[in-house]
């Protein structure tokens, strides 16, 4: 599997605005040519097709498991697995070789894969069988890979004109005590016994290929791989009749000496008849089966309406109110006239008074800046197609590497802000910038990883990978943070446009609308309204195991989010200053960060209404990972809100004449 690679930095910057609009998917790997055995004119043309198996997951459980955990047919240990990148390991992908023997253009009919026997008198065998039954009951799904492309299972969906193609297929079918069954079972009349667990022990594999004759390349290229899982109670090897009884696990093993499951498969090759169907677009039939594009456009249009409304409000304030206020204020001849004024002009001597807990604020702004730059470049790479679904694990790898390498901006911003507010404990500031929030996120991740270890899940990050992450943190991120902080503290403090009075001005009684709490709560509503539809698709891709590929839409929505957070924070900051409340430092950060609170509340709603997750461990893992995402989002939006307000306040007070 090819590694992630990117063009030069300048090329990325020049091409981002074009690619974000048109390049929703760009293949990250080179095509592979296949030829029949003994007919290859090109030595690079392969005849053997490798089928790899990935982890198994379920929409009813957050805990994935390796393929071998269900006691399926596995090859000998000497057969090597593909190399996994850092993102795949952290995401819990475990790609392993399989026993399926597939040769290009060689059809196989009901070929035996292996046989598994279970002795009711052996506790170990019963434990394996019970684990398999639980997996069937929780609807665990296989995820297979052929030619770096997911093997799909296409089936009819009620009230839908086209078939839905899923990148996973179930390991079996469970018929409940009341006779209810899943979509995988309702298509067959063979699953008719209540309380029974049926195993899909036979797989029909259909592979379509595009012939290279007449093209500028030799051999053939694979276009799709589809499976149809079946449950067959084999009476003998080579018998896979469609009317065979289903392979059910007995409800009672009394009087049974041995229970046997025979696994088999069928492979058929078909030529792709559509000459216009190119290799570069072979993922389209999977992605097009997810009808999300129209909803995405609706989401963007809805968000643009909010942005236009806020932009009009800001323009009205800047062009009418502020312009008139500043002109009238600068035309005053005496201090008595100034004393008769009211509103934001009266607090010029206190507006830049250092806030309480300036240390914590500076550290949060430093980490938020680090996250902001990481998100920006990750989205640029994704829009260019280098983090496409074909390049597995590249998204997480890119995000982790960027976060580690962006320690310098975090240390620099934290040092500059801390020095600006008059902080003197520079050593504490540097240490907190390097360790506090990265350590908090790593601590939560490690705790969740302990739960996955205890559950024997494939998503548990190996100890060696944890050491590698710690090495990246302490060996790269921390020194870069120290370097950035050193450069930040060496610079002169940021000079404010107006002087700060020695005695703080008394803040008048505030109405309920201008108090801190209601303002912060209201400030997060509009930004969340811009992103909640996009948020639904992101959460759906994470917890319902669907492919997320619309990074162009995500980039546009992210820009809209930045504008909305900035304009909302500026508006509320102006209203508070007009009410002679000059405590804007923390309020601006929390106003932007409040969007993360709505994110968390929506995650609870999504968990209750959209997911069917069961079990204490899965619930704990869901909210644990959600907490990490909410924390990152809080720092991201809070930092955007603070700096928007910071530049706004500096701008309006810099053009006011103050003696």
């Amino acid at each position: 599997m090819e590694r992630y690679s990117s063009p030069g930095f300048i090329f990325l910057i020049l091409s981002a605005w074009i690619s974000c609009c048109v390049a929703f998917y760009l293949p990250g790997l080179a095509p592979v040519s296949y030829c029949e055995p003994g007919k290859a004119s090109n030595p690079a043309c392969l005849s053997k097709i490798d089928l790899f198996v990935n982890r198994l997951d379920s929409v009813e459980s957050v805990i994935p498991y390796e393929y071998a955990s269900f006691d399926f047919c596995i090859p000998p240990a000497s057969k090597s697995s593909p190399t996994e990148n850092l993102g795949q390991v952290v995401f819990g992908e475990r790609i392993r070789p399989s026993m399926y023997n597939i040769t290009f253009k060689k059809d196989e009919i009901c070929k035996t894969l292996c046989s598994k026997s279970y002795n009711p008198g052996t506790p170990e065998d019963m434990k394996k069988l019970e684990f398999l039954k639980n997996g069937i009951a929780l609807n665990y799904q296989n995820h297979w890979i052929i030619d770096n492309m997911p093997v799909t299972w296409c089936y009819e969906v009620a009230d839908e004109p086209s078939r839905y193609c899923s990148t996973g297929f179930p390991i079996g079918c469970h018929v409940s005590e009341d006779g209810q069954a899943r979509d995988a079972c309702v298509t067959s009349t063979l699953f008719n016994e209540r309380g029974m667990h049926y195993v899909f022990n036979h797989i029909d594999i259909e592979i379509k290929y595009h012939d290279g004759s007449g093209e500028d390349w030799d051999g053939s290229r694979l276009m799709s791989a589809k499976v149809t899982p079946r449950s067959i109670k084999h009476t003998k090897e080579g018998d896979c009749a469609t009317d065979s009884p289903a392979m059910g696990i007995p409800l009672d093993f009394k009087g049974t000496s041995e229970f046997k499951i025979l696994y088999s498969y069928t492979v058929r090759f078909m030529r792709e008849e559509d000459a216009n169907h190119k290799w570069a677009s072979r993922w389209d039939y999977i992605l097009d089966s997810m009808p999300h594009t129209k909803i995405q456009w609706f989401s963007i249009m809805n968000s643009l309406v909010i942005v236009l409304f806020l932009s009009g409000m800001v323009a009205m304030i800047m062009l009418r109110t502020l312009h008139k206020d500043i002109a009238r204020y600068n035309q005053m001849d005496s201090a008595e006239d100034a004393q008769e004024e009211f509103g934001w002009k009266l607090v010029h001597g206190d507006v830049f008074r250092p806030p309480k807990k300036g240390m914590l604020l500076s550290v949060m702004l430093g980490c938020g800046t680090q996250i902001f730059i990481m998100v920006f470049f990750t989205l640029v790479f994704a829009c260019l197609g280098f983090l496409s679904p074909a390049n597995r694990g590249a998204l997480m790898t890119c995000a982790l590497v960027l976060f580690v390498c962006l320690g310098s901006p975090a240390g620099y911003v934290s040092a500059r802000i801390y020095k600006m507010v008059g902080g003197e404990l520079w050593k504490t500031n540097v240490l907190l910038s390097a360790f506090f929030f990265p350590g908090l996120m790593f601590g939560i991740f490690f705790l969740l990883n302990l739960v996955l270890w205890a559950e024997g899940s494939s998503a548990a990050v190996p100890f060696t990978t944890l050491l590698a992450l710690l090495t990246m943190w302490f060996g790269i991120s921390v020194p870069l943070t120290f370097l950035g902080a050193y450069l930040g503290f060496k610079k002169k403090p940021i000079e404010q446009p107006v002087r700060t009075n020695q005695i703080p001005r008394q803040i008048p009684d505030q109405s309920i609308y201008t108090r801190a709490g209601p303002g912060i709560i209201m400030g997060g509503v509009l930004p969340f309204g811009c992103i909640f539809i996009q948020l639904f698709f992101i959460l759906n891709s994470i917890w319902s195991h669907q492919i997320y590929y619309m990074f162009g839409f995500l980039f546009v929505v992210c820009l809209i989010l930045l504008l909305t957070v900035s304009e909302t924070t500026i508006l509320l900051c102006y209203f508070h200053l007009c009410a002679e409340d000059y405590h804007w430092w923390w309020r601006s950060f929390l106003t932007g960060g409040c969007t993360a609170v709505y994110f968390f509340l929506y995650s609870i709603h999504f968990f209750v209404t959209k997911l069917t997750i069961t079990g204490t461990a899965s619930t704990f893992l869901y909210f644990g990972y959600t907490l990490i995402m909410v924390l990152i989002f809080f720092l991201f939006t809070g930092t955007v809100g603070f700096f928007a307000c910071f530049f706004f306040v500096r701008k309006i007070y810099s053009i006011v004449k103050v003696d």
Side-chain angles (χ1 to χ4, degrees):
M1 186 174 291
E2 294 190 14
R3 295 291 187 177
Y4 166 79
S5 61
S6 65
F9 177 78
I10 298 177
F11 172 77
L12 289 176
I13 298 301
L14 293 177
S15 305
W17 68 277
I18 299 176
S19 302
C20 289
C21 298
V22 299
F24 293 107
Y25 166 70
L26 181 68
L29 303 174
V32 177
S33 297
Y34 292 91
C35 302
E36 294 182 68
K39 296 184 180 180
S41 58
N42 183 359
C45 199
L46 305 178
S47 59
K48 180 144 183 355
I49 301 176
D50 291 321
L51 189 154
F52 295 102
V53 294
N54 204 341
R55 66 177 185 178
L56 284 82
D57 51 38
S58 168
V59 294
E60 298 185 18
S61 176
V62 180
I63 306 171
Y65 292 99
E66 285 215 41
Y67 186 80
S69 300
F70 293 90
D71 198 35
F72 294 143
C73 305
I74 57 174
S78 58
K79 201 169 183 179
S80 61
S81 301
T83 304
E84 296 170 342
N85 56 39
L86 179 63
Q88 287 178 289
V89 177
V90 173
F91 260 144
E93 291 197 24
R94 300 292 182 267
I95 301 177
R96 301 288 183 259
S98 70
M99 289 184 63
Y100 292 88
N101 187 11
I102 303 176
T103 304
F104 184 65
K105 285 190 178 181
K106 182 181 179 183
D107 292 350
E108 301 283 357
I109 307 298
C110 197
K111 186 173 182 179
T112 300
L113 190 66
C114 75
S115 178
K116 294 288 183 178
S117 299
Y118 302 92
N119 190 342
T122 306
E124 185 178 351
D125 287 353
M126 290 296 98
K127 185 178 179 181
K128 292 179 181 178
L129 205 56
E130 191 64 29
F131 190 85
L132 178 59
K133 288 172 62 177
N134 290 335
I136 294 173
L138 290 173
N139 196 30
Y140 270 84
Q141 305 269 319
N142 277 296
H143 294 278
W144 290 1
I145 301 168
I146 287 181
D147 192 34
N148 195 46
M149 189 177 183
V151 177
T152 57
W153 172 47
C154 299
Y155 56 91
E156 303 290 340
V157 180
D159 302 326
E160 290 290 338
S162 58
R163 304 181 78 195
Y164 175 75
C165 292
S166 171
T167 55
F169 62 94
I171 63 174
C173 169
H174 173 56
V175 181
S176 63
E177 294 293 341
D178 58 357
Q180 297 295 321
R182 301 179 186 277
D183 292 341
C185 308
V186 296
T187 56
S188 175
T189 58
L190 301 175
F191 309 121
N192 49 22
E193 188 172 350
R194 298 190 175 190
M196 182 67 77
H197 297 78
Y198 295 96
V199 183
F200 286 145
N201 59 330
H202 177 84
I203 304 296
D204 291 321
I205 306 174
E206 178 190 282
I207 300 176
K208 285 190 175 183
Y209 63 91
H210 194 292
D211 200 343
S213 57
E215 303 285 349
D216 56 353
W217 41 270
D218 296 328
S220 302
R221 293 176 180 175
L222 304 188
M223 303 302 295
S224 68
K226 301 178 181 179
V227 300
T228 302
R230 289 198 285 150
S231 180
I232 300 176
K233 190 174 184 178
H234 296 278
T235 56
K236 60 180 180 179
E237 292 190 12
D239 181 15
C240 298
T242 55
D243 58 349
S244 300
M247 183 72 249
I249 301 176
L251 299 175
D252 189 0
F253 286 95
K254 290 182 179 179
T256 305
S257 59
E258 188 179 57
F259 174 65
K260 186 176 181 181
I261 302 178
L262 183 68
Y263 291 91
S264 59
Y265 67 100
T266 295
V267 181
R268 290 185 175 88
F269 285 88
M270 298 181 63
R271 183 173 178 175
E272 177 61 66
E273 300 298 335
D274 186 2
N276 296 323
H277 189 193
K278 301 301 182 182
W279 183 89
S281 60
R282 61 178 185 163
W283 284 68
D284 288 357
Y285 84 98
I286 304 174
L287 305 180
D288 290 344
S289 66
M290 303 175 186
H292 297 157
T293 306
K294 292 183 180 179
I295 302 176
Q296 294 280 6
W297 281 115
F298 170 77
S299 169
I300 290 178
M301 295 304 296
N302 173 65
S303 302
L304 285 175
V305 169
I306 296 176
V307 169
L308 290 175
F309 169 75
L310 287 174
S311 300
M313 292 285 290
V314 172
M316 183 181 67
I317 290 174
M318 298 295 289
L319 296 178
R320 296 185 60 185
T321 311
L322 270 177
H323 180 72
K324 291 181 180 179
D325 284 353
I326 292 171
R328 186 168 61 251
Y329 191 79
N330 287 336
Q331 290 172 2
M332 291 177 184
D333 298 326
S334 64
E336 288 133 359
D337 293 335
Q339 289 177 0
E340 294 177 2
E341 288 296 321
F342 60 91
W344 63 272
K345 301 170 289 298
L346 289 179
V347 296
H348 66 81
D350 298 274
V351 71
F352 292 107
R353 188 174 302 280
K356 296 180 180 179
K357 302 189 183 301
M359 172 79 77
L360 179 60
L361 179 62
S362 64
V363 172
M364 295 173 81
L365 291 171
C367 190
T369 304
Q370 185 178 10
I371 293 172
F372 175 83
I373 302 174
M374 176 200 73
V375 169
F376 173 77
F377 281 105
T378 301
L379 286 177
V380 168
F381 288 137
C383 287
L384 291 173
F386 298 105
L387 310 183
S388 69
N391 205 351
R392 291 178 179 82
L395 182 65
M396 177 60 76
T397 303
C398 178
L400 287 174
V401 171
L402 283 173
F403 185 82
V404 167
C405 295
L406 289 170
S408 294
Y412 181 82
V413 171
S414 178
R416 294 284 283 161
I417 297 294
Y418 185 63
K419 193 172 183 180
M420 180 184 66
V421 299
E424 297 179 353
L425 302 175
W426 63 271
K427 293 181 181 178
T428 306
N429 178 264
V430 173
L431 292 174
L432 288 176
S433 301
F435 295 106
F436 185 70
F437 283 104
L440 180 61
M441 287 184 278
F442 184 84
I444 298 173
F445 178 77
F446 182 75
L447 180 62
L448 299 175
N449 203 55
L450 289 178
V451 176
L452 292 171
W453 272 339
E455 294 290 333
S457 172
S458 64
V461 178
F463 183 72
T464 52
T465 305
L466 288 177
L467 288 179
L469 291 174
L470 287 174
T471 303
M472 292 170 62
W473 179 17
F474 287 100
I476 301 176
S477 181
V478 172
L480 288 176
T481 305
F482 287 175
L483 176 62
Y486 171 76
L487 296 176
F489 279 115
K490 279 196 68 177
K491 282 186 168 289
K492 294 181 180 180
I494 299 174
E495 294 185 4
Q496 306 299 359
V498 291
R499 294 192 302 269
T500 301
N501 297 333
Q502 292 184 354
I503 302 175
R505 181 186 181 87
Q506 185 176 0
I507 300 175
D509 293 335
Q510 301 292 307
S511 66
I512 189 172
Y513 303 106
T514 56
R515 290 177 184 172
I520 291 171
I521 293 173
M522 290 187 296
V525 174
L526 290 178
F528 178 76
C530 295
I531 64 166
F532 81 96
I533 294 179
Q534 194 70 225
L535 193 61
F536 168 79
F537 292 117
I538 293 174
L539 292 178
N540 207 41
S541 67
I542 295 174
W543 303 115
S544 297
H545 315 295
Q546 296 186 8
I547 296 175
Y548 187 88
Y549 65 99
M550 294 170 285
F551 295 108
F553 285 121
L554 182 60
F555 188 86
V556 174
V557 171
C558 190
L559 293 179
I560 294 174
L561 173 65
L562 297 181
L563 286 173
T564 310
V565 170
S566 302
E567 293 175 349
T568 303
T569 310
I570 289 172
L571 276 173
L572 292 174
C573 179
Y574 174 74
F575 293 148
H576 292 138
L577 291 176
C578 287
E580 301 180 30
D581 186 351
Y582 50 83
H583 295 313
W584 61 272
W585 299 81
W586 274 105
R587 187 173 296 173
S588 61
F589 186 93
L590 295 177
T591 300
C594 187
T595 311
V597 177
Y598 291 98
F599 178 7
F600 183 72
L601 294 176
Y602 181 77
S603 299
I604 298 175
H605 169 76
F606 187 84
F607 178 82
V608 174
T609 61
K610 303 297 182 183
L611 299 179
T612 55
I613 292 176
T614 58
T616 305
S618 292
T619 303
F620 179 78
L621 290 168
Y622 173 85
F623 285 103
Y625 287 120
T626 300
L627 183 61
I628 295 177
M629 291 188 288
V630 167
L631 178 60
I632 293 173
F633 194 70
F634 172 74
L635 294 173
F636 174 79
T637 53
T639 301
V640 172
F642 174 85
F643 281 112
C645 191
F646 177 70
F647 291 122
F648 170 75
V649 172
R650 284 180 57 86
K651 181 65 176 177
I652 64 174
Y653 284 99
S654 65
I655 56 180
V656 172
K657 293 188 297 184
V658 179
D659 293 333

